[in-house]
Amino acid sequence: MLTQSKIKEELKPVFKQLRTPTIMHCYEEEANRARSESWTYEAYLHQVLSLESETRTTNRIVGLLKASRLPLEKTLDTFDLNRLPLKLRQQVKVLTDGSFLDRRENVLAFGNPGSGKTHLVCAIGHELINQGRKVLFKSCNMLVQELLIAKRDLLLKKFLKRLSAYDVLIIDDLGYVQQSREEMEVLFTLLAQRYERGSIMLTSNLPFSKWEQIFKDPMTTAAAIDRLVHHSLILEMNLKSYRLEAAKKQKTQE
Ligand code: ADP
Ligand code: MG
């Protein structure tokens, strides 16, 4: 029979090979517990494998969150859902189950500044990450600049491929900054490339009727809207500005 010290010595490289660091750290302690509590062999195996699996899930979510660039504080916990009309609340509930990503559907959030568009799409993003989905958050402006740089360096295809690894791309504030034709062209390329291949969540202060300001010519505007809308859910967020309301509340309290 193998001695305890022999087992320990031989297991170490096996844990490394199998990449099970959690079991490596906990198996002795859990074995002591198992002996003192008279677990079955199966119960012991279940315990150490569950610990490994739980740690992996947590680590994966931490990694996804870091890669997503989502603002950490904009979660559902910090979002007051009661400010939303019932229909919107129901839509949010549906979105947080994540199945729209499997259908490659888009989410388009419209509304005046301060209505909570950015916070809400980020909060949904956090929920999706908790389910193990890959999310990337970018302001539209930043995304366009990165696309342009990639194009200049003849790396556009590669950059688009990298973006296609995400289940959902959150593009925040389309149309907030007036962009040049060249800037809009790369954005259009991205929308076209992602069409029916991956979801986009987009926020904008501008309704479709004003998108010609963004995409410059009517044809590109129509084509962009068409691709985004084809499989999509629209969140109408024409609510009073949260900031304004919070400021007013504070004033009346003073
Ligand atoms: P928008 O993107 O529509 O301009 P934001 O999402 O940036 O609006 O919201 C403006 C500010 O108000 C942010 O600080 C946000 O966290 C807060 N806010 C908006 N709506 C809510 C809400 N329902 N609950 C809590 N905070 C909110
Ligand atoms: Mg915003």
Side-chain angles (χ1 to χ4, degrees), residues 138-161:
K138 290 255 174 220
S139 75
C140 183
N141 210 14
M142 174 80 91
L143 177 65
V144 165
Q145 295 317 314
E146 287 182 17
L147 285 164
L148 276 181
I149 290 169
K151 188 179 171 199
R152 184 198 65 197
D153 299 343
L154 304 177
L155 293 169
L156 188 58
K157 221 171 148 185
K158 204 169 162 190
F159 186 61
L160 291 175
K161 192 162 174 223

Side-chain angles (χ1 to χ4, degrees), residues 4 7 27-41 44:
Q4 288 288 15
I7 291 174
Y27 84 101
E28 286 174 299
E29 198 184 323
E30 293 301 324
N32 289 334
R33 238 180 98 189
R35 273 187 289 271
S36 73
E37 295 175 18
S38 307
W39 293 358
T40 59
Y41 295 115
Y44 173 73

Side-chain angles (χ1 to χ4, degrees), residues 126-192:
H126 279 280
E127 294 299 309
L128 298 172
I129 286 178
N130 289 337
Q131 295 162 23
R133 305 282 197 163
K134 286 187 171 176
V135 177
L136 183 65
F137 173 86
K138 290 255 174 220
S139 75
C140 183
N141 210 14
M142 174 80 91
L143 177 65
V144 165
Q145 295 317 314
E146 287 182 17
L147 285 164
L148 276 181
I149 290 169
K151 188 179 171 199
R152 184 198 65 197
D153 299 343
L154 304 177
L155 293 169
L156 188 58
K157 221 171 148 185
K158 204 169 162 190
F159 186 61
L160 291 175
K161 192 162 174 223
R162 224 176 73 213
L163 294 180
S164 69
Y166 292 92
D167 297 310
V168 59
L169 187 58
I170 302 180
I171 305 177
D172 192 36
D173 257 337
L174 176 79
Y176 182 66
V177 184
Q178 278 285 328
Q179 267 139 352
S180 71
R181 193 172 279 266
E182 202 199 354
E183 288 171 325
M184 279 308 107
E185 262 168 29
V186 281
L187 183 63
F188 183 79
T189 308
L190 167 71
L191 298 183

Side-chain angles (χ1 to χ4, degrees), residues 112-119 172-173 203-205 243:
N112 49 301
S115 57
K117 301 179 297 295
T118 301
H119 193 145
D172 192 36
D173 257 337
T203 75
S204 182
N205 299 332
R243 294 188 199 102

Side-chain angles (χ1 to χ4, degrees), residues 56-251:
R56 272 194 207 184
T57 305
T58 313
N59 289 347
R60 185 172 144 75
I61 289 171
V62 170
L64 287 173
L65 190 59
K66 203 165 166 210
S68 75
R69 309 295 170 95
L70 273 172
L72 294 179
E73 73 290 354
K74 293 201 194 299
T75 61
L76 268 190
D77 283 342
T78 57
F79 191 83
D80 179 7
L81 278 169
N82 291 324
R83 278 196 95 232
L84 305 183
L86 182 64
K87 184 178 171 212
L88 258 172
R89 258 182 282 158
Q90 286 166 339
Q91 286 177 312
V92 171
K93 197 157 175 244
V94 171
L95 291 174
T96 49
D97 85 3
S99 57
F100 76 101
L101 301 180
D102 301 322
R103 296 189 296 273
R104 315 274 190 268
E105 286 169 2
N106 299 323
V107 175
L108 313 172
F110 292 106
N112 49 301
S115 57
K117 301 179 297 295
T118 301
H119 193 145
L120 183 60
V121 292
C122 288
I124 296 168
H126 279 280
E127 294 299 309
L128 298 172
I129 286 178
N130 289 337
Q131 295 162 23
R133 305 282 197 163
K134 286 187 171 176
V135 177
L136 183 65
F137 173 86
K138 290 255 174 220
S139 75
C140 183
N141 210 14
M142 174 80 91
L143 177 65
V144 165
Q145 295 317 314
E146 287 182 17
L147 285 164
L148 276 181
I149 290 169
K151 188 179 171 199
R152 184 198 65 197
D153 299 343
L154 304 177
L155 293 169
L156 188 58
K157 221 171 148 185
K158 204 169 162 190
F159 186 61
L160 291 175
K161 192 162 174 223
R162 224 176 73 213
L163 294 180
S164 69
Y166 292 92
D167 297 310
V168 59
L169 187 58
I170 302 180
I171 305 177
D172 192 36
D173 257 337
L174 176 79
Y176 182 66
V177 184
Q178 278 285 328
Q179 267 139 352
S180 71
R181 193 172 279 266
E182 202 199 354
E183 288 171 325
M184 279 308 107
E185 262 168 29
V186 281
L187 183 63
F188 183 79
T189 308
L190 167 71
L191 298 183
Q193 196 267 350
R194 227 179 144 79
Y195 174 63
E196 292 188 334
R197 292 204 196 118
S199 297
I200 288 176
M201 290 176 92
L202 185 143
T203 75
S204 182
N205 299 332
L206 294 180
F208 288 136
S209 56
K210 295 200 177 142
W211 276 28
E212 236 182 272
Q213 290 174 22
I214 309 172
F215 288 99
K216 311 297 174 199
D217 76 286
M219 285 289 279
T220 318
T221 308
I225 294 176
D226 205 54
R227 279 171 178 77
L228 279 169
V229 171
H230 187 194
H231 309 281
S232 72
L233 188 84
I234 294 181
L235 304 176
E236 291 279 0
M237 307 219 7
N238 283 315
L239 313 169
K240 288 203 186 97
S241 162
Y242 185 87
R243 294 188 199 102
L244 216 64
E245 229 165 52
K248 270 189 199 153
K249 249 185 215 157
Q250 202 172 15
K251 238 184 183 165

